[in-house]
Protein backbone atom coordinates (compact mmCIF):
# COMPACT_ATOMS: atom_id res chain seq x y z
CA UNK A 1 0.00 0.00 0.00
CA UNK A 2 1.46 3.31 -1.08
CA UNK A 3 1.14 6.62 0.77
CA UNK A 4 -1.38 9.20 -0.34
CA UNK A 5 -0.15 12.13 -2.39
CA UNK A 6 0.48 15.05 -0.04
CA UNK A 7 -1.61 17.40 -2.09
CA UNK A 8 -4.42 14.99 -2.83
CA UNK A 9 -7.58 16.59 -4.16
CA UNK A 10 -10.44 16.55 -1.71
CA UNK A 11 -13.58 14.57 -2.37
CA UNK A 12 -15.90 16.87 -4.18
CA UNK A 13 -19.44 15.85 -5.01
CA UNK A 14 -20.70 16.67 -8.45
CA UNK A 15 -20.70 20.44 -8.04
CA UNK A 16 -20.03 21.47 -11.62
CA UNK A 17 -22.41 24.18 -12.80
CA UNK A 18 -25.32 22.70 -14.67
CA UNK A 19 -25.28 23.91 -18.24
CA UNK A 20 -28.61 25.25 -19.44
CA UNK A 21 -28.92 22.46 -21.96
CA UNK A 22 -28.63 19.86 -19.18
CA UNK A 23 -31.75 21.19 -17.43
CA UNK A 24 -34.35 19.84 -19.82
CA UNK A 25 -36.47 18.32 -21.12
CA UNK A 26 -39.21 18.42 -18.48
CA UNK A 27 -40.47 14.92 -19.17
CA UNK A 28 -37.25 13.58 -17.62
CA UNK A 29 -37.51 15.62 -14.40
CA UNK A 30 -38.90 12.66 -12.42
CA UNK A 31 -36.17 10.32 -13.70
CA UNK A 32 -33.53 12.93 -12.86
CA UNK A 33 -34.93 13.15 -9.34
CA UNK A 34 -34.82 9.38 -8.91
CA UNK A 35 -31.27 9.24 -10.25
CA UNK A 36 -30.30 11.98 -7.79
CA UNK A 37 -31.71 9.94 -4.90
CA UNK A 38 -30.01 6.76 -6.06
CA UNK A 39 -26.63 8.37 -6.73
CA UNK A 40 -25.53 8.15 -3.10
CA UNK A 41 -28.11 5.86 -1.56
CA UNK A 42 -29.14 2.85 -3.63
CA UNK A 43 -27.90 -0.44 -2.15
CA UNK A 44 -26.44 -2.81 -4.73
CA UNK A 45 -23.40 -5.00 -5.51
CA UNK A 46 -22.33 -4.24 -9.08
CA UNK A 47 -18.90 -5.82 -8.54
CA UNK A 48 -19.89 -8.50 -6.03
CA UNK A 49 -19.31 -6.32 -2.99
CA UNK A 50 -22.11 -4.40 -1.31
CA UNK A 51 -21.91 -0.65 -1.85
CA UNK A 52 -24.16 2.39 -1.87
CA UNK A 53 -24.93 4.63 -4.81
CA UNK A 54 -23.52 4.85 -8.31
CA UNK A 55 -21.81 8.24 -8.18
CA UNK A 56 -18.41 6.53 -8.51
CA UNK A 57 -19.50 5.15 -11.87
CA UNK A 58 -21.29 8.27 -13.11
CA UNK A 59 -18.41 9.49 -15.36
CA UNK A 60 -18.27 6.03 -16.96
CA UNK A 61 -22.05 5.91 -17.40
CA UNK A 62 -22.09 9.42 -18.88
CA UNK A 63 -19.34 8.48 -21.33
CA UNK A 64 -21.16 5.28 -22.30
CA UNK A 65 -24.45 7.06 -23.01
CA UNK A 66 -22.73 10.02 -24.66
CA UNK A 67 -23.43 12.99 -22.40
CA UNK A 68 -21.32 15.47 -20.42
CA UNK A 69 -24.31 16.51 -18.29
CA UNK A 70 -24.21 15.75 -14.54
CA UNK A 71 -25.91 12.46 -13.58
CA UNK A 72 -28.82 14.09 -11.77
CA UNK A 73 -30.03 16.19 -14.70
CA UNK A 74 -32.93 15.62 -17.10
CA UNK A 75 -30.56 15.69 -20.09
CA UNK A 76 -28.55 12.84 -18.56
CA UNK A 77 -31.78 10.88 -17.99
CA UNK A 78 -32.77 11.49 -21.59
CA UNK A 79 -29.41 10.24 -22.90
CA UNK A 80 -29.74 7.18 -20.66
CA UNK A 81 -33.29 6.53 -21.91
CA UNK A 82 -32.10 6.73 -25.52
CA UNK A 83 -29.20 4.38 -24.85
CA UNK A 84 -31.44 1.92 -22.95
CA UNK A 85 -33.97 1.96 -25.75
CA UNK A 86 -31.27 1.05 -28.29
CA UNK A 87 -30.26 -1.78 -25.96
CA UNK A 88 -33.82 -3.06 -25.62
CA UNK A 89 -33.86 -2.25 -21.90
CA UNK A 90 -36.36 -0.35 -19.76
CA UNK A 91 -35.97 3.20 -21.06
CA UNK A 92 -37.44 5.63 -18.52
CA UNK A 93 -34.15 7.43 -17.85
CA UNK A 94 -33.49 5.88 -14.43
CA UNK A 95 -30.24 3.94 -14.12
CA UNK A 96 -30.97 0.31 -13.27
CA UNK A 97 -28.51 -2.39 -12.27
CA UNK A 98 -29.44 -4.23 -15.51
CA UNK A 99 -28.37 -1.23 -17.58
CA UNK A 100 -25.18 -0.82 -15.58
CA UNK A 101 -24.37 -4.51 -15.95
CA UNK A 102 -24.74 -4.16 -19.73
CA UNK A 103 -22.33 -1.19 -19.71
CA UNK A 104 -19.86 -2.96 -17.44
CA UNK A 105 -19.84 -6.09 -19.60
CA UNK A 106 -19.29 -4.00 -22.73
CA UNK A 107 -16.28 -2.36 -21.08
CA UNK A 108 -14.92 -5.74 -19.94
CA UNK A 109 -15.41 -6.95 -23.51
CA UNK A 110 -12.87 -4.39 -24.71
CA UNK A 111 -10.14 -5.96 -22.55
CA UNK A 112 -8.29 -8.87 -24.20
CA UNK A 113 -7.09 -9.95 -20.75
CA UNK A 114 -10.69 -10.52 -19.65
CA UNK A 115 -11.39 -12.58 -22.78
CA UNK A 116 -8.35 -14.78 -22.19
CA UNK A 117 -9.24 -15.29 -18.53
CA UNK A 118 -12.79 -16.13 -19.60
CA UNK A 119 -11.34 -19.09 -21.47
CA UNK A 120 -9.64 -20.22 -18.27
CA UNK A 121 -6.18 -19.19 -19.43
CA UNK A 122 -3.70 -17.16 -17.40
CA UNK A 123 -1.40 -15.51 -19.96
CA UNK A 124 2.36 -15.92 -19.73
CA UNK A 125 4.42 -12.90 -18.76
CA UNK A 126 6.35 -11.25 -21.61
CA UNK A 127 10.12 -11.49 -21.98
CA UNK A 128 11.29 -9.08 -19.29
CA UNK A 129 14.30 -8.03 -21.37
CA UNK A 130 11.90 -6.46 -23.85
CA UNK A 131 10.10 -4.27 -21.33
CA UNK A 132 10.56 -0.50 -21.32
CA UNK A 133 11.32 1.43 -18.13
CA UNK A 134 9.51 4.69 -17.43
CA UNK A 135 11.49 7.74 -16.39
CA UNK A 136 11.81 8.71 -12.70
CA UNK A 137 9.35 11.57 -13.19
CA UNK A 138 6.75 9.11 -14.55
CA UNK A 139 6.89 6.57 -11.72
CA UNK A 140 5.00 7.66 -8.60
CA UNK A 141 7.49 9.25 -6.19
CA UNK A 142 10.36 8.10 -8.40
CA UNK A 143 9.38 4.42 -8.40
CA UNK A 144 10.89 2.39 -11.26
CA UNK A 145 8.06 0.93 -13.35
CA UNK A 146 8.29 -1.32 -16.41
CA UNK A 147 5.82 -2.12 -19.17
CA UNK A 148 5.70 -3.07 -22.84
CA UNK A 149 7.22 -0.36 -25.07
CA UNK A 150 3.95 0.36 -26.91
CA UNK A 151 2.23 0.96 -23.57
CA UNK A 152 4.84 3.48 -22.44
CA UNK A 153 4.65 5.32 -25.78
CA UNK A 154 0.84 5.51 -25.60
CA UNK A 155 0.95 6.57 -21.93
CA UNK A 156 3.34 9.39 -22.78
CA UNK A 157 1.14 10.69 -25.60
CA UNK A 158 -1.92 10.53 -23.39
CA UNK A 159 -0.41 12.26 -20.37
CA UNK A 160 1.16 15.02 -22.47
CA UNK A 161 -2.27 15.79 -23.92
CA UNK A 162 -4.01 15.59 -20.53
CA UNK A 163 -1.52 18.02 -18.98
CA UNK A 164 -1.96 20.41 -21.87
CA UNK A 165 -5.76 20.31 -21.63
CA UNK A 166 -5.96 20.37 -17.82
CA UNK A 167 -3.68 23.15 -16.50
CA UNK A 168 -4.76 22.33 -12.93
CA UNK A 169 -2.74 19.11 -13.14
CA UNK A 170 0.47 21.14 -13.10
CA UNK A 171 0.00 21.98 -9.42
CA UNK A 172 0.02 18.28 -8.50
CA UNK A 173 3.26 16.54 -9.47
CA UNK A 174 1.89 13.09 -8.51
CA UNK A 175 -1.23 13.22 -10.66
CA UNK A 176 -1.22 10.72 -13.56
CA UNK A 177 2.08 9.19 -12.42
CA UNK A 178 2.28 5.38 -12.60
CA UNK A 179 2.31 3.58 -9.26
CA UNK A 180 2.31 0.04 -10.63
CA UNK A 181 2.82 -1.48 -14.08
CA UNK A 182 4.44 -4.82 -14.95
CA UNK A 183 4.57 -7.21 -12.02
CA UNK A 184 6.20 -10.58 -12.50
CA UNK A 185 4.13 -13.67 -11.62
CA UNK A 186 6.75 -14.51 -8.98
CA UNK A 187 6.41 -11.08 -7.38
CA UNK A 188 2.62 -11.31 -7.34
CA UNK A 189 2.72 -14.85 -5.94
CA UNK A 190 4.96 -13.67 -3.09
CA UNK A 191 2.68 -10.73 -2.42
CA UNK A 192 -0.30 -13.06 -2.49
CA UNK A 193 1.26 -15.34 0.11
CA UNK A 194 2.36 -12.41 2.25
CA UNK A 195 -1.00 -10.63 2.22
CA UNK A 196 -3.09 -13.81 2.39
CA UNK A 197 -5.58 -12.50 -0.15
CA UNK A 198 -5.08 -14.02 -3.56
CA UNK A 199 -8.57 -14.35 -4.90
CA UNK A 200 -10.14 -11.07 -3.84
CA UNK A 201 -11.23 -8.39 -6.24
CA UNK A 202 -8.00 -6.48 -5.79
CA UNK A 203 -5.40 -9.25 -5.48
CA UNK A 204 -6.19 -11.72 -8.20
CA UNK A 205 -3.78 -14.64 -8.37
CA UNK A 206 -3.55 -14.08 -12.11
CA UNK A 207 -3.22 -10.32 -12.26
CA UNK A 208 -3.43 -8.37 -15.51
CA UNK A 209 -0.23 -6.70 -14.35
CA UNK A 210 1.70 -9.81 -15.40
CA UNK A 211 1.03 -8.93 -19.06
CA UNK A 212 3.00 -5.67 -19.07
CA UNK A 213 -0.10 -4.01 -20.51
CA UNK A 214 -1.74 -2.79 -17.28
CA UNK A 215 -0.99 0.51 -15.57
CA UNK A 216 -2.10 1.84 -12.19
CA UNK A 217 -2.27 5.61 -12.59
CA UNK A 218 -2.62 8.22 -9.82
CA UNK A 219 -6.02 9.89 -10.23
CA UNK A 220 -6.17 11.49 -6.78
CA UNK A 221 -7.43 10.14 -3.46
CA UNK A 222 -9.80 11.01 -0.66
CA UNK A 223 -7.84 12.73 2.14
CA UNK A 224 -5.78 10.21 4.07
CA UNK A 225 -6.29 7.33 1.64
CA UNK A 226 -3.55 5.60 -0.35
CA UNK A 227 -3.59 5.82 -4.14
CA UNK A 228 -4.76 2.20 -4.51
CA UNK A 229 -7.36 1.98 -1.73
CA UNK A 230 -10.60 0.25 -2.77
CA UNK A 231 -12.40 1.95 0.12
CA UNK A 232 -15.66 3.27 -1.33
CA UNK A 233 -15.04 6.79 -0.03
CA UNK A 234 -11.70 6.80 -1.81
CA UNK A 235 -13.05 5.39 -5.08
CA UNK A 236 -15.84 7.97 -5.07
CA UNK A 237 -13.38 10.83 -4.57
CA UNK A 238 -11.15 9.54 -7.36
CA UNK A 239 -14.06 9.27 -9.74
CA UNK A 240 -14.80 12.98 -9.45
CA UNK A 241 -11.31 14.38 -10.12
CA UNK A 242 -10.65 16.23 -13.39
CA UNK A 243 -7.82 13.76 -14.13
CA UNK A 244 -10.09 10.72 -13.89
CA UNK A 245 -12.90 12.38 -15.80
CA UNK A 246 -10.45 13.29 -18.56
CA UNK A 247 -9.21 9.69 -18.75
CA UNK A 248 -12.75 8.30 -18.91
CA UNK A 249 -13.46 10.60 -21.84
CA UNK A 250 -10.18 10.28 -23.70
CA UNK A 251 -8.04 7.27 -22.71
CA UNK A 252 -9.70 4.95 -25.22
CA UNK A 253 -8.25 7.05 -28.06
CA UNK A 254 -4.76 6.18 -26.79
CA UNK A 255 -5.62 2.50 -26.41
CA UNK A 256 -6.48 2.35 -22.70
CA UNK A 257 -9.61 0.90 -21.07
CA UNK A 258 -10.46 1.27 -17.37
CA UNK A 259 -11.48 -1.45 -14.93
CA UNK A 260 -14.29 0.72 -13.60
CA UNK A 261 -14.21 -0.67 -10.05
CA UNK A 262 -10.67 0.66 -9.71
CA UNK A 263 -10.44 4.21 -11.10
CA UNK A 264 -6.64 3.87 -11.24
CA UNK A 265 -6.42 0.61 -13.23
CA UNK A 266 -6.05 0.97 -17.01
CA UNK A 267 -5.23 -1.70 -19.58
CA UNK A 268 -3.70 -1.09 -22.98
CA UNK A 269 -5.87 -3.05 -25.40
CA UNK A 270 -4.15 -2.50 -28.76
CA UNK A 271 -1.71 -5.36 -28.34
CA UNK A 272 -2.51 -9.06 -27.70
CA UNK A 273 -1.95 -10.28 -24.15
ZN1 LIG B 1 -3.92 -2.39 -11.49
Amino acid sequence: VLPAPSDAPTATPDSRPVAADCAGPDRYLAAARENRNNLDLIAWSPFGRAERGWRTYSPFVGQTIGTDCPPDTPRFAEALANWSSRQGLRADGVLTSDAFLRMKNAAHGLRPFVAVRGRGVCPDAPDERRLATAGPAEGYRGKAVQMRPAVLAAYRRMVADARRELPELRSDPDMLDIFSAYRSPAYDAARCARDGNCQGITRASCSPHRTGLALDIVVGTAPGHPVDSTNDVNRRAMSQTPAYRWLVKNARRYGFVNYVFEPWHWEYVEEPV
Side-chain angles (χ1 to χ4, degrees):
V1 174
L2 295 155
S6 53
D7 43 1
T10 50
T12 47
D14 214 312
S15 56
R16 290 168 295 161
V18 178
D21 62 355
C22 292
D26 283 355
R27 68 180 184 281
Y28 286 104
L29 277 170
R33 223 170 3 249
E34 191 164 343
N35 283 334
R36 177 177 302 165
N37 289 336
N38 291 342
L39 264 171
D40 296 301
L41 292 177
I42 197 169
W44 65 331
S45 307
F47 290 88
R49 184 177 97 178
E51 56 181 294
R52 280 208 176 265
W54 57 277
R55 191 178 293 282
T56 299
Y57 312 116
S58 60
F60 163 70
V61 173
Q63 173 67 15
T64 304
I65 64 178
T67 182
D68 284 333
C69 288
D72 57 355
T73 59
R75 190 66 72 195
F76 186 101
E78 180 185 46
L80 179 58
N82 291 340
W83 180 89
S84 301
S85 169
R86 290 196 297 275
Q87 296 285 321
L89 297 169
R90 191 180 105 189
D92 58 6
V94 176
L95 184 73
T96 62
S97 52
D98 277 355
F100 183 80
L101 191 66
R102 189 78 63 99
M103 297 178 192
K104 181 185 117 174
N105 288 342
H108 283 351
L110 296 171
R111 297 163 56 202
F113 180 80
V114 173
V116 168
R117 291 298 290 140
R119 296 198 295 272
V121 174
C122 183
D124 287 333
D127 182 346
E128 293 187 4
R129 291 166 303 181
R130 298 212 173 148
L131 295 175
T133 304
E138 294 167 318
Y140 177 54
R141 306 268 162 101
K143 181 181 178 183
V145 287
Q146 291 190 301
M147 65 208 76
R148 296 200 206 176
V151 181
L152 182 56
Y155 166 81
R156 284 176 170 163
R157 283 195 298 276
M158 179 169 77
V159 170
D161 288 349
R163 295 215 163 107
R164 192 162 48 242
E165 290 173 29
L166 296 176
E168 63 261 49
L169 294 185
R170 285 181 209 138
S171 63
D172 186 343
D174 293 328
M175 202 60 106
L176 297 181
D177 282 358
I178 302 166
F179 64 86
S180 192
Y182 171 71
R183 296 198 302 257
S184 72
Y187 173 91
D188 262 346
R191 197 169 78 147
C192 224
R194 187 194 67 210
D195 297 347
N197 175 11
C198 311
Q199 304 294 342
I201 302 175
T202 57
R203 292 283 152 81
S205 58
C206 177
S207 164
H209 285 274
R210 68 163 53 211
T211 64
L213 296 168
L215 298 183
D216 291 340
I217 298 174
V218 176
V219 291
T221 66
H225 288 265
V227 291
D228 65 346
S229 163
T230 58
N231 181 293
D232 287 346
V233 170
N234 192 48
R235 297 190 305 114
R236 194 173 310 126
M238 291 173 157
S239 73
Q240 305 301 316
T241 64
Y244 180 70
R245 288 172 178 280
W246 190 93
L247 290 176
V248 168
K249 253 178 104 64
N250 297 288
R252 185 70 189 85
R253 289 192 286 119
Y254 303 86
F256 291 97
V257 173
N258 184 210
Y259 170 47
V260 184
F261 183 78
E262 297 178 347
W264 61 85
H265 181 93
W266 297 82
E267 286 171 26
Y268 185 73
V269 300
E270 303 298 331
E271 194 166 300
V273 296

